[in-house]
Amino acid sequence: MGKPVLLTVDDDPSVSRAVARDLRRRYGEDYRVMRADSGPQALDALKEIKLRGDRVAAILADYRMPQMNGIEFLEAAMDLFPRARRALLTAYADTDAAIQAINVVDVDHYLLKPWDPPEEKLYPVVDALIATWQAAGDSPVEEIKVVGHQFSPASFELRDFLARNQVPYRWYLADSSEGRRLLESADADPQAPDVIPLVVTPEGEVLRNPSPNELATRVGLATNPTEKFYDVIIVGGGPAGLGAAVYAASEGLRTVLVEQQATGGQAGQSSRIENYLGFPDGVSGAQLTDRARRQAIKFGAEILTTRKACELIVKGSARGVKFEDGTEIAAHAVVLATGVSYRRLQASGIDDLTGRGVYYGSAAVEAPACAGQEVVIVGGANSAGQAAVFFSRHASKVRLVVRGANLEASMSAYLIKQLAEIENVQVQTRTTVCACLGEGRLQRIDLKNEDTGEIEPVDAGFCFVFIGAAPLTDWMDGVLVRDEAGFVLAGTDLLGEDGARPKGWNADRDPFPLETSVPGVFVAGDVRSQSVKRVASAVGEGAMAVTLVHRYLSS
Ligand SMILES: Cc1cc2nc3c(=O)[nH]c(=O)nc-3n(C[C@H](O)[C@H](O)[C@H](O)COP(=O)(O)OP(=O)(O)OC[C@H]3O[C@@H](n4cnc5c(N)ncnc54)[C@H](O)[C@@H]3O)c2cc1C
């Protein structure tokens, strides 16, 4: 195999030569630097590289090119080399257009021309592209095959689990010819109980309706701790937990993060977060999670998936958690970052159709199945708005069903504006879902106008619910002080009007901010009482909790 390729394409030959020269100077020893003067020429070069079996580490494409612009070229290049990292070269005047278009091809960076001196403007970007490419590896994608039914909760949960953990897989319907072939070769009867969903690993191992834990182990996700004792245990792998893991591990604490399902939490389900600092062109929840996860692992944090903490243990100065299988881990301190979950929608027939057309959260894996159909989204907050924008690209029509009188009270202005500009999105206020109907899958939703009482039947095969959120903290009952809604109290919120410390508090000081009613147990993010429900605040609290862990350890 030859050296991996760095490819640059620009219709101005002098620019293309200059980029290639700068790249060769710095990377020539380890990478083969190639250049092209147009998109089609660059695609031909990529096809040849593919035929030779060589790898492409990064592609730098000019935005403004005749015949095929940079975005169109990168889109086509992704089909050939999906793992190659991508940067777009733009002139200052094109930044807006480029930023808008960046969402289409998910580029890693855009570079403003001219980039002199390259040491400051070009090389740091290319270094980052190469580091990301190396971290992800460029071996052929090891393909996991999943055979299942379209409207089956078990099949949905399995695909959702793989997607949210960023494990690539190929999906086959059980009644498709390839699906039948796979079932036959696995000697599996699709009618028998506990066969579907069926998973075939790249090694050819067959798993019949595996549990998330079994699946996680087989697809290479860590599920068991390597140590018995850590400096800090972080419970929950959303932005707050990942933020805490990055800071704790980077500051030398022996850190383990335990996540019951998949890292990313609620943010991981967001199709595009547009208000997180440092991402002017927005970032998908999956991308943000992938980067945060890699960052935490790079600093030495251990991340365990499919491990649900179900008991908080306080023994002398040790703090710990017990898992569902009865095993325990202990540490000097614990950071609880368990976030919130969607409330269940109360409507007749909805429970039977959950996972069969009705989904809580964004369920992006269902997007292709929504093509040409009407989709109903329930909720009036940003999460529902983002989902409406996302599904409007797939569905023929999206109805956003909101109980309140308007969106202004619950949704950011930028999203309200975006929604107003999308033709196939209809916002229906003062409306609730009163029934979900269908044989084996959702086929109809009855909507009720709360002002007139009128019922409107809507033929919709998909309904995504984003209503309110509840902290699932019952397992902390009796150990920590929580508010009436179950959110965990911390810091001065724990003190009585006369400054009295919480019952059982045994330290000779008031609780630190973010410290719960048990010294050494901290809380960060959405699960904290009165927290701001935002990605930035969750990440910030995760980082702050770690500083307070240090203060606790040295107190
Ligand atoms: C679709 C969507 C879009 C959003 N868009 C935006 C946006 O654009 N901008 C913005 O600022 N905010 C947005 N938000 C809100 C933002 O995502 C949350 O405020 C943020 O994710 C909170 O982070 P967290 O880490 O506190 O909790 P969560 O993200 O809720 O993560 C908690 C994690 O803990 C895990 N967990 C829970 N209990 C246990 C247990 N017992 N054991 C182990 N693990 C457990 C959960 O599985 C979960 O992964 C959005 C939310 C959603 C749902």
Side-chain angles (χ1 to χ4, degrees):
M1 203 185 283
K3 287 181 194 173
V5 170
L6 297 178
L7 174 70
T8 169
V9 45
D10 197 307
D11 64 309
D12 180 340
S14 64
V15 175
S16 144
R17 265 196 301 273
V19 187
R21 182 202 58 219
D22 285 344
L23 290 175
R24 257 183 219 115
R25 191 147 54 84
R26 165 98 169 210
Y27 305 99
E29 213 167 285
D30 301 319
Y31 292 85
R32 181 162 157 236
V33 175
M34 295 179 66
R35 70 176 190 88
D37 297 339
S38 71
Q41 197 189 71
L43 282 178
D44 285 345
L46 287 175
K47 283 177 197 152
E48 260 179 49
I49 299 169
K50 187 98 200 164
L51 285 177
R52 277 202 309 270
D54 284 343
R55 295 162 303 157
V56 176
I59 304 172
L60 282 69
D62 183 33
Y63 172 59
R64 234 173 231 252
M65 293 189 289
Q67 293 173 286
M68 187 182 233
N69 74 28
I71 306 287
E72 290 159 349
F73 160 69
L74 286 173
E75 216 175 347
M78 274 164 80
D79 291 339
L80 291 165
F81 287 95
R83 290 180 170 228
R85 305 323 307 175
R86 300 173 282 277
L88 199 62
L89 307 172
T90 57
Y92 185 73
D94 289 330
T95 9
D96 271 359
I99 287 174
Q100 300 282 325
I102 271 169
N103 296 342
V104 180
V105 281
D106 204 11
V107 296
D108 299 272
H109 291 275
Y110 70 96
L111 272 163
L112 279 186
K113 294 196 273 188
W115 55 84
D116 271 342
E119 282 72 15
E120 260 175 48
K121 298 197 176 143
L122 178 68
Y123 297 155
V125 169
V126 179
D127 284 350
L129 293 175
I130 290 177
T132 314
W133 175 76
Q134 282 170 338
D138 196 25
S139 45
V141 179
E142 301 220 319
E143 203 172 80
I144 292 166
K145 300 182 182 77
V146 179
V147 187
H149 299 303
Q150 176 67 59
F151 293 101
S152 135
S155 298
F156 166 72
E157 272 159 32
L158 190 140
R159 289 159 64 211
D160 190 50
F161 176 80
L162 290 175
R164 290 181 57 187
N165 277 296
Q166 275 121 43
V167 177
Y169 68 91
R170 197 175 281 266
W171 162 239
Y172 301 92
L173 287 172
D175 53 8
S176 68
S177 56
E178 186 62 4
R180 278 196 296 270
R181 199 187 59 71
L182 282 164
L183 286 165
E184 262 170 45
S185 27
D187 225 358
D189 172 6
Q191 304 311 327
D194 282 343
V195 166
I196 296 251
L198 181 108
V199 176
V200 184
T201 68
E203 297 76 34
E205 193 183 4
V206 175
L207 311 174
R208 292 171 163 79
N209 191 14
S211 70
N213 188 268
E214 187 185 0
L215 185 62
T217 320
R218 304 297 170 87
V219 299
L221 297 168
T223 55
N224 288 316
T226 57
E227 314 273 337
K228 278 264 174 260
F229 199 91
Y230 293 84
D231 290 323
V232 60
I233 299 168
I234 297 160
V235 186
L242 286 168
V246 166
Y247 285 93
S250 68
E251 289 163 19
L253 297 177
R254 284 169 302 156
T255 306
V256 63
L257 181 151
V258 298
E259 163 57 49
Q260 62 183 2
Q261 202 184 6
T263 44
Q266 300 166 70
Q269 294 187 35
S270 168
S271 43
R272 188 144 292 267
I273 299 164
E274 306 225 27
N275 55 1
Y276 187 50
L277 187 75
F279 291 88
D281 41 327
V283 58
S284 74
Q287 257 185 332
L288 191 66
T289 303
D290 176 51
R291 288 175 190 206
R293 192 187 154 96
R294 281 194 278 119
Q295 204 173 4
I297 291 172
K298 178 185 91 174
F299 285 124
E302 237 176 79
I303 295 186
L304 312 180
T305 28
T306 68
R307 297 312 296 265
K308 181 172 180 172
C310 57
E311 198 179 317
L312 191 59
I313 299 164
V314 181
K315 269 190 206 150
S317 65
R319 309 282 177 261
V321 291
K322 189 184 260 188
F323 297 118
E324 284 180 311
D325 62 0
T327 57
E328 296 177 11
I329 43 171
H332 294 300
V334 168
V335 176
L336 297 168
T338 51
V340 292
S341 304
Y342 287 111
R343 281 214 188 86
R344 298 273 134 179
L345 183 65
Q346 302 299 320
S348 120
I350 195 164
D351 290 345
D352 287 346
L353 294 170
T354 299
R356 304 176 198 274
V358 176
Y359 303 93
Y360 286 86
S362 141
V365 290
E366 295 300 342
C370 298
Q373 302 213 30
E374 175 156 359
V375 163
V376 171
I377 291 173
V378 188
N382 280 3
S383 47
Q386 283 177 6
V389 173
F390 174 72
F391 283 105
S392 70
R393 296 186 203 121
H394 300 272
S396 60
K397 177 173 174 183
V398 173
R399 244 181 237 246
L400 183 61
V401 172
V402 186
R403 182 194 287 269
N406 57 50
L407 287 176
E408 278 69 17
S410 51
M411 196 180 284
S412 298
Y414 80 88
L415 264 176
I416 298 178
K417 187 163 168 269
Q418 266 182 34
L419 289 173
E421 285 165 2
I422 304 176
E423 262 177 26
N424 62 340
V425 172
Q426 177 188 335
V427 180
Q428 221 162 317
T429 53
R430 296 288 299 144
T431 305
T432 52
V433 174
C434 60
C436 294
L437 304 103
E439 282 297 314
R441 52 168 292 199
L442 179 71
Q443 286 159 325
R444 199 182 96 193
I445 298 177
D446 285 350
L447 299 178
K448 181 177 173 199
N449 182 314
E450 288 295 318
D451 290 328
T452 61
E454 203 179 305
I455 306 285
E456 181 190 1
V458 175
D459 292 332
F462 291 90
C463 173
F464 300 94
V465 183
F466 296 82
I467 53 161
L472 302 181
T473 54
D474 285 352
W475 61 279
M476 304 170 195
D477 192 33
V479 188
L480 298 184
V481 179
R482 300 175 298 150
D483 66 17
E484 319 77 65
F487 291 93
V488 178
L489 289 170
T492 49
D493 290 345
L494 285 163
L495 302 179
E497 277 179 13
D498 54 353
R501 291 169 183 163
K503 205 167 142 224
W505 180 260
N506 60 6
D508 187 19
R509 56 172 175 82
D510 285 348
F512 294 133
L514 304 189
E515 194 171 25
T516 66
S517 53
V518 172
V521 176
F522 296 82
V523 61
D526 281 14
V527 69
R528 186 177 65 77
S529 178
Q530 304 299 326
S531 64
V532 178
K533 309 285 186 282
R534 286 277 182 271
V535 176
S537 47
V539 172
E541 287 192 11
M544 181 172 157
V546 171
T547 305
L548 297 165
V549 166
H550 284 296
R551 203 184 290 174
Y552 164 76
L553 293 176
S554 57
S555 67

